[in-house]
PDB file of all heavy atoms in Angstrom:
ATOM      1  N   PHE A 281     -31.717 -12.195 -11.353  1.00 96.00           N
ATOM      2  CA  PHE A 281     -31.427 -13.626 -11.494  1.00 96.00           C
ATOM      3  C   PHE A 281     -32.013 -14.088 -12.827  1.00 96.00           C
ATOM      4  O   PHE A 281     -33.216 -13.970 -13.065  1.00 96.00           O
ATOM      5  CB  PHE A 281     -32.060 -14.407 -10.339  1.00 96.00           C
ATOM      6  CG  PHE A 281     -31.680 -15.854 -10.295  1.00 96.00           C
ATOM      7  CD1 PHE A 281     -30.552 -16.272  -9.609  1.00 96.00           C
ATOM      8  CD2 PHE A 281     -32.444 -16.809 -10.952  1.00 96.00           C
ATOM      9  CE1 PHE A 281     -30.199 -17.612  -9.558  1.00 96.00           C
ATOM     10  CE2 PHE A 281     -32.095 -18.151 -10.911  1.00 96.00           C
ATOM     11  CZ  PHE A 281     -30.969 -18.553 -10.213  1.00 96.00           C
ATOM     12  N   VAL A 301     -23.077 -44.887 -22.554  1.00 55.00           N
ATOM     13  CA  VAL A 301     -23.625 -46.196 -22.190  1.00 55.00           C
ATOM     14  C   VAL A 301     -23.493 -47.157 -23.361  1.00 55.00           C
ATOM     15  O   VAL A 301     -23.701 -46.808 -24.522  1.00 55.00           O
ATOM     16  CB  VAL A 301     -25.094 -46.055 -21.759  1.00 55.00           C
ATOM     17  CG1 VAL A 301     -25.766 -47.421 -21.675  1.00 55.00           C
ATOM     18  CG2 VAL A 301     -25.182 -45.321 -20.440  1.00 55.00           C
ATOM     19  N   VAL A 343     -32.711 -15.640 -27.025  1.00 96.00           N
ATOM     20  CA  VAL A 343     -31.507 -16.366 -27.437  1.00 96.00           C
ATOM     21  C   VAL A 343     -30.485 -15.373 -27.982  1.00 96.00           C
ATOM     22  O   VAL A 343     -30.837 -14.301 -28.479  1.00 96.00           O
ATOM     23  CB  VAL A 343     -31.824 -17.436 -28.505  1.00 96.00           C
ATOM     24  CG1 VAL A 343     -32.834 -18.452 -27.981  1.00 96.00           C
ATOM     25  CG2 VAL A 343     -32.348 -16.788 -29.788  1.00 96.00           C
ATOM     26  N   ARG A 355     -18.267 -18.992 -38.396  1.00 97.00           N
ATOM     27  CA  ARG A 355     -19.537 -19.389 -39.000  1.00 97.00           C
ATOM     28  C   ARG A 355     -19.569 -20.885 -39.300  1.00 97.00           C
ATOM     29  O   ARG A 355     -20.591 -21.548 -39.120  1.00 97.00           O
ATOM     30  CB  ARG A 355     -19.767 -18.582 -40.282  1.00 97.00           C
ATOM     31  CG  ARG A 355     -21.166 -18.754 -40.864  1.00 97.00           C
ATOM     32  CD  ARG A 355     -21.349 -17.900 -42.111  1.00 97.00           C
ATOM     33  NE  ARG A 355     -21.146 -16.485 -41.842  1.00 97.00           N
ATOM     34  CZ  ARG A 355     -22.101 -15.689 -41.362  1.00 97.00           C
ATOM     35  NH1 ARG A 355     -23.305 -16.177 -41.090  1.00 97.00           N
ATOM     36  NH2 ARG A 355     -21.843 -14.405 -41.145  1.00 97.00           N
ATOM     37  N   CYS A 389     -28.765 -20.187 -23.518  1.00 95.00           N
ATOM     38  CA  CYS A 389     -27.828 -20.054 -22.402  1.00 95.00           C
ATOM     39  C   CYS A 389     -26.936 -18.833 -22.585  1.00 95.00           C
ATOM     40  O   CYS A 389     -26.731 -18.050 -21.653  1.00 95.00           O
ATOM     41  CB  CYS A 389     -26.995 -21.330 -22.294  1.00 95.00           C
ATOM     42  SG  CYS A 389     -25.766 -21.305 -20.984  1.00 95.00           S
ATOM     43  N   ALA A 405     -30.013  -3.299 -12.588  1.00 95.00           N
ATOM     44  CA  ALA A 405     -29.721  -4.092 -11.393  1.00 95.00           C
ATOM     45  C   ALA A 405     -28.319  -3.743 -10.924  1.00 95.00           C
ATOM     46  O   ALA A 405     -27.466  -3.327 -11.722  1.00 95.00           O
ATOM     47  CB  ALA A 405     -29.830  -5.588 -11.699  1.00 95.00           C
ATOM     48  N   GLY A 426     -15.354 -30.611 -23.408  1.00 93.00           N
ATOM     49  CA  GLY A 426     -15.674 -30.582 -21.990  1.00 93.00           C
ATOM     50  C   GLY A 426     -17.063 -30.095 -21.650  1.00 93.00           C
ATOM     51  O   GLY A 426     -17.237 -29.270 -20.749  1.00 93.00           O
ATOM     52  N   SER A 462      -8.086 -18.920 -24.317  1.00 91.00           N
ATOM     53  CA  SER A 462      -7.568 -19.015 -25.680  1.00 91.00           C
ATOM     54  C   SER A 462      -8.180 -17.964 -26.598  1.00 91.00           C
ATOM     55  O   SER A 462      -7.527 -17.471 -27.516  1.00 91.00           O
ATOM     56  CB  SER A 462      -7.832 -20.415 -26.250  1.00 91.00           C
ATOM     57  OG  SER A 462      -9.213 -20.621 -26.513  1.00 91.00           O
ATOM     58  N   ALA A 479      -3.801 -29.165 -13.569  1.00 82.00           N
ATOM     59  CA  ALA A 479      -3.832 -30.365 -14.411  1.00 82.00           C
ATOM     60  C   ALA A 479      -5.053 -31.236 -14.173  1.00 82.00           C
ATOM     61  O   ALA A 479      -4.997 -32.453 -14.347  1.00 82.00           O
ATOM     62  CB  ALA A 479      -2.564 -31.184 -14.204  1.00 82.00           C
ATOM     63  N   GLY A 498       0.196  -9.262 -17.534  1.00 46.00           N
ATOM     64  CA  GLY A 498      -0.148  -7.876 -17.810  1.00 46.00           C
ATOM     65  C   GLY A 498      -1.580  -7.727 -18.282  1.00 46.00           C
ATOM     66  O   GLY A 498      -2.237  -8.682 -18.660  1.00 46.00           O
ATOM     67  N   ARG A 509      -4.604 -28.858  -4.144  1.00 50.00           N
ATOM     68  CA  ARG A 509      -5.912 -29.149  -3.572  1.00 50.00           C
ATOM     69  C   ARG A 509      -6.140 -28.325  -2.317  1.00 50.00           C
ATOM     70  O   ARG A 509      -6.891 -28.706  -1.441  1.00 50.00           O
ATOM     71  CB  ARG A 509      -6.043 -30.642  -3.257  1.00 50.00           C
ATOM     72  CG  ARG A 509      -6.087 -31.493  -4.511  1.00 50.00           C
ATOM     73  CD  ARG A 509      -6.393 -32.928  -4.207  1.00 50.00           C
ATOM     74  NE  ARG A 509      -6.438 -33.733  -5.435  1.00 50.00           N
ATOM     75  CZ  ARG A 509      -6.648 -35.037  -5.469  1.00 50.00           C
ATOM     76  NH1 ARG A 509      -6.840 -35.700  -4.345  1.00 50.00           N
ATOM     77  NH2 ARG A 509      -6.676 -35.673  -6.612  1.00 50.00           N
ATOM     78  N   THR A 513      -8.164 -18.502  -0.039  1.00 35.00           N
ATOM     79  CA  THR A 513      -9.045 -17.771   0.872  1.00 35.00           C
ATOM     80  C   THR A 513      -9.332 -16.374   0.384  1.00 35.00           C
ATOM     81  O   THR A 513     -10.479 -15.951   0.321  1.00 35.00           O
ATOM     82  CB  THR A 513      -8.413 -17.718   2.273  1.00 35.00           C
ATOM     83  OG1 THR A 513      -7.099 -17.163   2.174  1.00 35.00           O
ATOM     84  CG2 THR A 513      -8.334 -19.108   2.890  1.00 35.00           C
ATOM     85  N   THR A 514      -8.314 -15.632   0.054  1.00 33.00           N
ATOM     86  CA  THR A 514      -8.515 -14.245  -0.372  1.00 33.00           C
ATOM     87  C   THR A 514      -7.601 -13.958  -1.551  1.00 33.00           C
ATOM     88  O   THR A 514      -6.439 -14.279  -1.519  1.00 33.00           O
ATOM     89  CB  THR A 514      -8.196 -13.264   0.771  1.00 33.00           C
ATOM     90  OG1 THR A 514      -9.012 -13.590   1.889  1.00 33.00           O
ATOM     91  CG2 THR A 514      -8.480 -11.835   0.334  1.00 33.00           C
TER      92      THR A 514
END
Side-chain angles (χ1 to χ4, degrees):
F281 187 89
V301 167
V343 301
R355 189 178 301 276
C389 179
S462 71
R509 292 187 180 178
T513 55
T514 303

